[in-house]
Amino acid sequence: MASPLNFDGRVVLVTGAGGGLGRTYALAFAERGASVVVNDLGGDVKGIGKGSLAADKVVEEIRRKGGKAVANYDSVEAGEKIVKTALDAFGRIDVVVNNAGILRDRSFGRISDEDWDMIQTVHLRGSFMVTRAAWNHMKKQNFGRIIMTSSASGIYGNFGQANYSSAKLGLLGLSNTLAVEGERNNIHCNTVAPTAGSRMTQNFLPEGFSEALKPDYVAPLVLWLCHESCEENGSLFEVGAGWIGKLRWERTLGAIVRQKNQPMTPEAVRANWEKICDFDNATKPQRIQDSVGAVIEALSKIDSSNGGISANNLSHATSGATSGPVEAIGHKFPPFSCSYTEMDTIMYALGVGASVKEPKDLKFIYEGNSDFSCLPTFGVTLAQKSIMGGELAAIPGLPVNLAKVLHGEHYLELYKPLPKAGNLKCETAVADVLDKGSGLVILIDVYSYSGEELICYNQFSIFVTGSGGFGGKRTSDKDKVAVAIPNRPPDAVLSDITSLNQAALYRLSGDWNPLHIDSDFARLAGFDRPILHGLCTFGFSARHVLQQYADNDVLRFKAIKVRFAKPVYPGQTLRTEMWKEGNRIHFQTKVQETGDTVISNAYVDLVPTSDSLAKTPPEGGELQSNLVFEEIGCRLQNIGREMVKKVNAVFEWHITKGGKIAAKWVHIR
């Protein structure tokens, strides 16, 4: 049998605790070991008058049973004084139960300013004042439990209670926000909507109902929600007569009722009204991100549309088990071309940490440098632009909610060094769709050409949370698979401190997501401040590998694969740990301050190093062509480096014998 819930060492403040629900809460907490502050102004049900008798009687009752309690007679408007009573008597504050309330019922047309203001003052402002006074104390001790008291009148509305119902639903909004803000400090806030017999309900409940609706049948829920072992947070419960139910929001799939570059009309709303109000396959949003996500998704679909748009039918229940993903494979995105200048490549290099403090970085940030080069990872910025215009939301048959999209992994391969400036044409297509259970993975291939010449290839692994379980395959031979790091200490480590302006600088390379610059938007996404772009961390890491193992020679760079693990905040230190195994450099990147791994199972493939020519040994003995290539190697010994700068390419010769490749020669430098 589970152990009893106790509150030994906890300090609980209950407002409006002189009678009814508040008194029952106070007695129950004290009985289980809590030290209780019994607050009650002592006025009547309309908030008129004051006195100490009600609070004193409850304190006396608690002490008579061996419990600990003190009384407070202040109005809930004086929240600081009430909390000070707890601190003076017991030295801390752990639990706040906002229970105090009054009634001034009138039909809407008869509500006076005073009737309105008094209800808002006691219920909504009073709860705010008391909770705010306790908030910082809870944050410092990294623990707090808060209860807001709502009502069925606030949830559903009730005749004659416009003032009361608005305050009660306002408390739910306050509670939901405190749940979000307090979560990282172990402060949980929940709302109860009780139905119980008290002096506020005695004139409304039928005779005999008061006994069946005793406050004793509400208190156990409040105690559980306030216990340190309860993880519930940001929830709403109806409770009464021994029954408890949890409430949540429900939303229709809705309909998009306008077209790109066309006005939205009330006639379009009327035409789509049935779809707007159809709760079949309804969603159940839980966070503000879910709300914003629906709007972002609609904007993306509108932006990518060329014709009419109807209902947002992205539910699995209406699309069939596998027809959607199968339909998506092979989908081609609109062709995309992008011009860039030397300034763009310099801006990118600065965005991923290249600095004048490191002399070898000058080749990436000064166009007048004799060895001026474009960082290889600049290739991701060009490919990324080809999928950032709403194209993800336009993939046929796939439920891509852009608010639930994560860049899970990335692969980049260069076929020749990126030009310092130029125009690249990108061809983009869905290579495969994988079912990972908790979500789906979309593999998107992007081939970038300069004229007819293939320059680089990117593969985006896009993870869409909550969209898996459609019965698809889990793996693909088209996936560029991440590789685990060696099981030994790293061979080399490089670190860089990111600037507080790092995200602001990196976004100038074309990733304008406000998540990386706007604090309000970051909070909507669940972060307490803007985060660094994952591809910025990617660029830092690749630069570390290039610096450590290739002396910043871009001709040595062949490919990179990473898995994004956790976010980075601007100002944190990136530590890249590297392992050399042949021409493959395994690495992982951590945040030095926290130890969190932010890039895992990653590697960079380098072109083999040689003074002139690298040779793959032939099968079946020496070849006559060896003499030719060895002579070329000798002649290039002194002029090879300058020649490579002029040619700006890597040559590979395949020597065949009997129709099979017998040897390979690669001119590197």
Side-chain angles (χ1 to χ4, degrees):
M1 186 174 179
S3 59
L5 300 176
N6 69 70
F7 290 84
D8 294 341
R10 296 298 185 191
V11 177
V12 178
L13 163 59
V14 183
T15 66
L21 282 167
R23 169 183 171 275
T24 304
Y25 297 155
L27 293 173
F29 277 114
E31 183 180 342
R32 291 175 178 264
S35 301
V36 182
V37 176
V38 179
N39 161 263
D40 202 286
L41 181 64
D44 65 15
V45 71
K46 292 186 177 181
I48 299 172
K50 61 184 303 184
S52 61
L53 182 61
D56 287 342
K57 287 179 64 176
V58 176
V59 169
E60 181 183 349
E61 189 174 355
I62 291 173
R63 290 176 176 174
R64 191 167 59 244
K65 294 178 179 178
K68 299 177 182 178
V70 295
N72 175 276
Y73 318 114
D74 291 302
S75 164
V76 285
E77 287 187 272
E80 292 286 351
K81 291 183 179 179
I82 299 173
V83 171
K84 186 175 185 298
T85 299
L87 299 175
D88 290 346
F90 304 118
R92 60 185 292 128
I93 179 73
D94 297 294
V95 176
V96 171
V97 180
N98 291 293
N99 172 74
I102 61 172
L103 283 177
R104 291 198 172 193
D105 292 353
R106 295 280 194 280
S107 61
F108 182 68
R110 298 178 57 203
I111 295 176
S112 67
D113 289 352
E114 183 184 5
D115 290 336
W116 179 271
D117 292 342
M118 279 293 292
I119 292 295
Q120 306 303 317
T121 296
V122 174
H123 289 272
L124 187 54
R125 179 174 170 79
S127 297
F128 160 71
M129 295 296 286
V130 174
T131 304
R132 186 179 66 174
W135 188 256
N136 285 335
H137 299 287
M138 291 178 171
K139 286 182 66 176
K140 288 178 182 177
Q141 67 198 24
N142 205 44
F143 178 84
R145 296 292 185 266
I146 300 165
I147 297 293
M148 299 292 178
T149 305
S150 186
S151 164
S153 297
I155 300 169
Y156 307 109
N158 191 33
F159 185 89
Q161 293 192 310
N163 51 359
Y164 181 76
S165 62
S166 60
K168 285 303 189 183
L169 196 58
L171 283 166
L172 176 61
L174 174 60
S175 177
N176 289 342
T177 294
L178 296 185
V180 172
E181 292 190 15
E183 187 169 22
R184 67 175 180 169
N185 294 109
N186 193 26
I187 302 174
H188 297 172
C189 189
N190 291 286
T191 304
V192 296
T195 300
S198 69
R199 64 177 183 166
M200 288 177 61
T201 60
Q202 62 186 2
N203 294 327
F204 306 102
L205 291 176
E207 189 175 348
F209 260 56
S210 292
E211 181 63 23
L213 297 175
K214 290 194 301 184
D216 305 70
Y217 301 144
V218 173
L221 169 63
V222 170
L223 265 68
W224 164 238
L225 292 174
C226 293
H227 195 265
E228 61 192 34
S229 66
C230 181
E231 294 299 322
E232 195 71 32
N233 189 26
S235 299
L236 169 63
F237 298 89
E238 288 185 287
V239 53
W243 170 87
I244 302 170
K246 183 175 180 178
L247 280 76
R248 66 184 181 190
W249 293 100
E250 188 175 56
R251 182 180 62 200
T252 70
L253 291 178
I256 299 174
V257 297
R258 74 175 177 92
Q259 299 176 12
K260 187 176 181 179
N261 300 323
Q262 296 294 322
M264 180 174 169
T265 67
E267 289 78 14
V269 176
R270 179 182 62 190
N272 285 276
W273 193 245
E274 185 175 342
K275 296 173 184 175
I276 292 169
C277 299
D278 182 3
F279 276 91
D280 287 344
N281 304 312
T283 62
K284 298 172 178 63
Q286 295 180 312
R287 306 174 303 162
I288 194 168
Q289 292 92 324
D290 297 329
S291 174
V292 174
V295 176
I296 293 175
E297 182 179 357
L299 286 172
S300 298
K301 289 183 72 65
I302 291 168
D303 187 58
S304 62
S305 67
N306 294 315
I309 298 180
S310 58
N312 180 14
N313 291 319
L314 295 179
S315 169
H316 298 313
T318 60
S319 63
T322 60
S323 60
V326 170
E327 182 184 356
I329 297 171
H331 169 72
K332 293 183 178 181
F333 290 55
F336 176 84
S337 294
C338 179
S339 297
Y340 65 96
T341 66
E342 291 180 346
M343 184 183 73
D344 295 317
T345 66
I346 292 171
M347 188 70 70
Y348 174 79
L350 293 169
V352 296
S355 170
V356 293
K357 293 186 295 185
E358 173 53 61
K360 291 185 177 180
D361 282 354
L362 203 61
K363 64 184 290 185
F364 302 123
I365 57 178
Y366 174 40
E367 73 286 354
N369 187 277
S370 61
D371 199 19
F372 179 61
S373 305
C374 178
L375 275 170
T377 49
F378 179 68
V380 303
T381 67
L382 307 174
Q384 187 181 28
K385 291 175 183 177
S386 71
I387 64 172
M388 289 182 63
E391 285 79 5
L392 283 177
I395 298 175
L398 280 184
V400 181
N401 181 342
L402 295 184
K404 298 184 177 182
V405 164
L406 301 173
H407 191 173
E409 298 182 4
H410 196 88
Y411 178 80
L412 165 68
E413 183 172 353
L414 262 60
Y415 299 98
K416 65 176 297 182
L418 287 163
K420 303 163 191 175
N423 183 291
L424 294 188
K425 178 182 68 175
C426 295
E427 295 181 356
T428 307
V430 176
D432 217 337
V433 179
L434 308 179
D435 185 352
K436 297 295 186 178
S438 61
L440 63 80
V441 172
I442 311 171
L443 300 179
I444 299 177
D445 288 345
V446 183
Y447 294 88
S448 300
Y449 297 84
S450 178
E452 299 300 317
E453 185 176 21
L454 179 60
I455 300 295
C456 66
Y457 159 71
N458 284 266
Q459 184 178 87
F460 294 81
S461 296
I462 306 297
F463 188 80
V464 185
T465 60
S467 296
F470 56 84
K473 59 186 179 181
R474 294 185 61 86
T475 60
S476 170
D477 56 4
K478 299 175 183 177
D479 187 12
K480 301 296 183 180
V481 181
V483 179
I485 60 174
N487 186 23
R488 67 173 191 270
D491 300 327
V493 176
L494 287 181
S495 298
D496 261 324
I497 301 174
T498 62
S499 163
L500 290 174
N501 293 317
Q502 203 71 54
L505 184 59
Y506 182 83
R507 70 191 300 268
L508 299 179
S509 290
D511 190 338
W512 304 106
N513 190 336
L515 173 66
H516 307 293
I517 193 72
D518 187 323
S519 296
D520 292 335
F521 197 93
R523 280 192 288 269
L524 287 178
F527 301 102
D528 58 359
R529 59 189 187 275
I531 62 174
L532 195 61
H533 305 71
L535 285 175
C536 180
T537 304
F538 169 90
F540 266 86
S541 304
R543 194 172 51 76
H544 286 164
V545 174
L546 199 66
Q547 177 182 332
Q548 179 68 31
Y549 288 106
D551 195 30
N552 276 356
D553 186 353
V554 298
L555 295 173
R556 295 282 318 282
F557 185 94
K558 181 180 180 182
I560 180 172
K561 170 71 179 186
V562 305
R563 175 177 294 165
F564 299 108
K566 283 191 174 182
V568 176
Y569 290 103
Q572 291 182 320
T573 303
L574 293 174
R575 170 188 169 94
T576 304
E577 300 174 347
M578 295 166 273
W579 293 260
K580 187 177 188 303
E581 293 195 342
N583 294 308
R584 172 163 288 184
I585 312 301
H586 299 269
F587 72 90
Q588 67 180 7
T589 305
K590 295 182 176 180
V591 170
Q592 188 164 296
E593 291 81 359
T594 64
D596 290 340
T597 299
V598 294
I599 285 181
S600 65
N601 294 3
Y603 64 82
V604 168
D605 283 338
L606 298 174
V607 176
T609 183
S610 170
D611 289 336
S612 55
L613 290 168
K615 169 192 168 188
T616 301
E619 297 181 5
E622 290 296 318
L623 301 172
Q624 292 183 358
S625 58
N626 290 356
L627 297 174
V628 176
F629 287 104
E630 287 169 359
E631 178 63 23
I632 294 174
C634 292
R635 298 195 179 196
L636 290 175
Q637 191 75 24
N638 296 320
I639 64 169
R641 183 177 293 274
E642 293 304 316
M643 182 66 70
V644 167
K645 290 180 182 178
K646 292 180 180 179
V647 176
N648 193 29
V650 175
F651 290 91
E652 179 173 307
W653 289 270
H654 292 188
I655 310 302
T656 62
K657 184 177 181 181
K660 296 182 179 180
I661 296 176
K664 294 180 183 179
W665 291 85
V666 182
H667 177 232
I668 299 163
R669 49 155 145 212

